[in-house]
Amino acid sequence: MVSTWVPDVSPDTPFSLANIPFGIISTSADPAPHAAIAIGSQVLDLKVLSSHLAFTEVLPALKDHSRVFSQPTLNEFAALGRSVHRDVRRAIQDLLSVETSHPEILKDDAGLREKALLPRQSVKMHLPMSIGDYTDFYAGFHHAYAVGAMFRGPQTALQPNYTHLPVGYHGRSSSIVVSGTPIRRPVGQIIIDPTAEPKQPTTAPSRRLDIELELGCFIAAPNEMGTPIKVTHAEDHIFGYVLLNDWSARDIQMWEYIPLGPFNGKNFATSISPWVVLADALEPFRTKGIDNWTPLQGYLNEGKEENVFDIELQIDLQTPQGDATTISTTSSKYLLWSFPQMIAHHSLGGCPLRTGDLLGSGTISGPSLNERGSLLELSEGGKKDIMLYGMDVRRFLKDGDTVIIRGICGKPGERVGFGECVGRILEATWP
């Protein structure tokens, strides 16, 4: 990978020239949300860049879409398809490289640089997509097994259908928020004494507020209703990926989830990182997922082994006093099902996926205790303390706690990362 002329691009930045993630920003000069990319500690304002007379010369794939980066979301750009995303990413990489073929447009144009290259800390981030629908899967094998064993025992930890199909449920898109948005502790029906019979719920703030470390996938090209997406074509329907925290109120969830699945225990908030890492940027980090010992139905057979990504994932918990502890490190490779398989199954019955729809991987955990992607697992069902810096402990989240999720892959100077997915817990508001 060639180097960039952009100043202050650290070898350890997640936003190297090898990445070029897309997001939606607003600035002091232009408060209307619009598109940008991240490069090192700066952003390139694509709306400003698109005002240059030679914009379509540099980005010929957008000659009929010159205002695509002036839109308040990335949906219109995502809908153009993966070949356009690939061409645009390559053109921006060339524009920002030391050996750019168009030095006159940005590298040697001080006036344009001043307007278009901005410190990342000076801009406000927004949700990158308008999200019509959100489906959360359960593809993290070690999480599914650990939680199943916790409640049903190791012999019946996995439900009979688990290795036959990607299990999922429909979440709530209206409560998906961008990183940095505070999260209000939910109120719901909980069981104070689980041993009492008959069960008697109490309405109260959740006492077992948790996190779930996930990878999110945005849909690019839609499919028509009644037309399934073949697993071998599913990659063409993927725009890019984000980090995702599926906040979970375990006590509310436990009381409500039978027989129809999660509801208020999940629908109060989901956080995502602001920068969408394009699918092509993650191609070098493909690896083999977890072996599925069950023969697959034909529509789920991808015909290749390297169908997931090896992204280094990390969870930090910061207390209200400001002390931070890394409580888990794991990898996105610990998935039983790939996103193309999720897409193929989701659309099997003819369900139309639309541009901007978000799919969650399900909680990603590794095989060891320090690789677990939720407090439920790290505390072994709320029975053991999680040690934090300064002799503090947690089993579940307290008001004022901040959770920071990070994801990165690649070597120094060529890192491809997501930045941070952050949320701070606020006290509950009673109805």
Side-chain angles (χ1 to χ4, degrees):
M1 172 61 66
V2 297
S3 59
T4 177
W5 55 261
V6 178
D8 302 324
V9 179
S10 162
D12 292 323
T13 180
F15 305 129
S16 72
L17 195 62
N19 192 350
I20 311 298
F22 287 73
I24 294 294
I25 66 167
S26 57
T27 68
S28 57
D30 186 354
H34 56 278
I37 62 96
I39 178 72
S41 61
Q42 303 188 65
V43 302
L44 175 61
D45 189 321
L46 296 178
K47 182 178 179 181
V48 172
L49 182 65
S50 66
S51 66
H52 195 282
L53 292 176
F55 175 70
T56 55
E57 176 187 337
V58 178
L59 296 161
L62 299 179
K63 60 183 171 70
D64 296 323
H65 309 279
S66 60
R67 293 192 54 79
V68 70
F69 292 140
S70 299
Q71 304 306 311
T73 70
L74 294 172
N75 289 53
E76 186 176 321
F77 176 56
L80 297 178
R82 187 156 175 179
S83 63
V84 172
H85 310 153
R86 181 178 299 122
D87 289 346
V88 169
R89 174 171 168 266
R90 286 174 178 168
I92 293 174
Q93 286 175 319
D94 173 74
L95 196 63
L96 298 178
S97 70
V98 170
E99 300 174 355
T100 175
S101 55
H102 297 280
E104 75 284 358
I105 291 179
L106 192 62
K107 181 184 177 184
D108 297 338
D109 187 336
L112 183 59
R113 281 202 319 272
E114 184 178 355
K115 294 178 181 178
L117 269 178
L118 307 169
R120 187 154 38 91
Q121 297 300 325
S122 72
V123 304
K124 180 180 179 181
M125 302 303 302
H126 302 267
L127 276 176
M129 306 285 282
S130 175
I131 304 167
D133 282 299
Y134 164 47
T135 302
D136 199 16
F137 284 89
Y138 199 48
F141 175 84
H142 295 294
H143 171 77
Y145 181 84
V147 173
M150 201 179 292
F151 295 109
R152 294 187 296 274
Q155 298 303 315
T156 54
L158 299 177
Q159 298 287 3
N161 65 353
Y162 186 76
T163 60
H164 288 271
L165 56 85
V167 174
Y169 75 95
H170 291 287
R172 185 73 183 174
S173 61
S174 65
S175 56
I176 298 173
V177 295
V178 72
S179 172
T181 304
I183 305 301
R184 181 76 61 182
R185 181 180 298 272
V187 172
Q189 287 194 23
I190 62 175
I191 301 296
I192 301 295
D193 183 3
T195 64
E197 292 294 343
K199 296 287 186 290
Q200 182 57 50
T202 298
T203 301
S206 171
R207 301 181 179 186
R208 294 166 69 92
L209 184 56
D210 200 356
I211 60 173
E212 289 191 346
L213 166 63
E214 302 192 24
L215 195 62
C217 172
F218 277 116
I219 295 297
N223 63 303
E224 293 184 5
M225 186 172 180
T227 304
I229 298 171
K230 292 183 179 180
V231 69
T232 52
H233 296 167
E235 293 280 0
D236 293 334
H237 293 262
I238 294 175
F239 176 47
Y241 298 89
V242 292
L243 300 174
L244 187 152
N245 186 350
D246 179 25
W247 304 93
S248 302
R250 300 299 184 189
D251 41 6
I252 297 173
Q253 181 182 356
M254 282 298 296
W255 174 238
E256 73 179 3
Y257 84 102
I258 297 174
L260 293 181
F263 188 43
N264 285 346
K266 293 278 193 177
N267 69 7
F268 60 96
T270 302
S271 298
I272 63 171
S273 52
W275 296 103
V276 181
V277 176
L278 295 190
D280 276 12
L282 291 174
E283 281 297 319
F285 310 105
R286 283 193 174 276
T287 191
K288 184 179 178 181
I290 292 176
D291 284 327
N292 191 340
W293 60 86
T294 302
L296 297 180
Q297 300 286 317
Y299 76 95
L300 291 171
N301 190 353
E302 293 178 89
K304 60 182 178 182
E305 289 190 341
E306 295 188 341
N307 62 351
V308 297
F309 304 111
D310 187 5
I311 304 167
E312 300 171 19
L313 301 169
Q314 175 179 311
I315 307 172
D316 289 357
L317 196 157
Q318 182 177 300
T319 65
Q321 291 73 37
D323 296 324
T325 306
T326 298
I327 59 173
S328 179
T329 55
T330 187
S331 169
S332 61
K333 68 183 180 181
Y334 295 124
L335 295 176
L336 186 68
W337 301 101
S338 70
F339 278 104
Q341 288 173 318
M342 296 180 215
I343 290 169
H345 184 66
H346 200 317
S347 64
L348 178 64
C351 173
L353 299 180
R354 296 176 293 185
T355 302
D357 282 358
L358 179 63
L359 309 181
S361 63
T363 308
I364 302 174
S365 297
S368 63
L369 182 59
N370 62 356
E371 294 179 288
R372 302 296 165 86
S374 68
L375 300 180
L376 180 69
E377 298 166 85
L378 289 166
S379 68
E380 300 184 26
K383 298 175 182 176
K384 294 187 177 181
D385 288 337
I386 303 165
M387 295 302 301
L388 303 179
Y389 179 84
M391 299 302 292
D392 208 343
V393 295
R394 289 291 185 277
R395 296 189 182 186
F396 294 97
L397 295 173
K398 293 184 177 181
D399 292 347
D401 284 348
T402 299
V403 176
I404 306 120
I405 296 174
R406 297 180 178 90
I408 200 165
C409 38
K411 60 186 180 181
E414 299 181 10
R415 296 203 188 280
V416 174
F418 298 81
E420 297 180 341
C421 181
V422 181
R424 180 175 178 269
I425 303 303
L426 303 181
E427 65 179 348
T429 299
W430 283 81

